[in-house]
Amino acid sequence: MKKSLVLLASLLVIAFTIPVTAEESVLPPNANKALIEDNLFIGMANDNPGLQRSCVLMLGKIQSSRAVVPLMAILHNKTNDNLRVAAAWALCRIGDARGVYAVKMAVKFDESTKVQATCAWYYENLVKQGTFSFAQPEAPVLAATK
């Protein structure tokens, strides 16, 4: 277990230090994506919320199509809003139709307004612009003093 956590931590450090562009893969060309995904799934199953969230985000960064169903389960079933928001981002980043639809439905039906608003923002900015409108905050009106 300790060995797999060390490997997972090493993979996360490597992945976050590689420059990312739209066309460029996050993983080095010789990386074993299946092994990396397996380790990230192990991390998602851990009880540590920070590790879970990091693994969810990394699965989105590497655009793991294998992660779509587990990420949808996190979005719908977990109680930690930060973890659910991370799952929504990862699903939008992956771009699979099932996951993207789950994020869109979370905007309408999720119990948490934080998750609803964040899902709408991710969908709008990562999937399809013009789907959701966001009200601009109004300037505060100062009361006149006498």
Side-chain angles (χ1 to χ4, degrees):
M1 181 68 178
K2 184 177 179 182
K3 193 175 188 177
S4 65
L5 287 177
V6 170
L7 176 63
L8 177 62
S10 300
L11 292 172
L12 289 174
V13 168
I14 291 169
F16 284 115
T17 58
I18 298 171
V20 180
T21 64
E23 295 91 28
E24 209 174 284
S25 174
V26 175
L27 299 175
N30 60 346
N32 183 342
K33 187 174 180 179
L35 178 62
I36 293 169
E37 289 171 324
D38 290 342
N39 282 299
L40 292 170
F41 290 138
I42 290 168
M44 277 186 4
N46 191 289
D47 291 335
N48 181 327
L51 178 61
Q52 288 176 330
R53 186 172 177 275
S54 294
C55 291
V56 164
L57 292 171
M58 192 62 210
L59 286 164
K61 261 192 157 180
I62 66 172
Q63 297 180 318
S64 170
S65 58
R66 287 177 48 200
V68 171
V69 173
L71 290 171
M72 288 170 54
I74 288 171
L75 177 61
H76 293 300
N77 300 326
K78 294 290 184 178
T79 57
N80 182 326
D81 282 356
N82 292 329
L83 183 59
R84 295 171 59 226
V85 162
W89 176 85
L91 288 166
C92 288
R93 178 87 161 81
I94 293 167
D96 182 276
R98 299 167 297 171
V100 168
Y101 183 75
V103 172
K104 189 174 183 180
M105 290 299 101
V107 173
K108 296 179 182 180
F109 300 113
D110 199 275
E111 296 172 357
S112 166
T113 55
K114 175 184 178 178
V115 174
Q116 285 180 335
T118 309
C119 285
W121 195 90
Y122 288 153
Y123 193 93
E124 176 74 19
N125 289 283
L126 299 174
V127 180
K128 185 177 179 188
Q129 290 187 349
T131 304
F132 299 104
S133 61
F134 293 92
Q136 295 296 321
E138 293 181 21
V141 178
L142 300 175
T145 57
K146 291 184 181 182

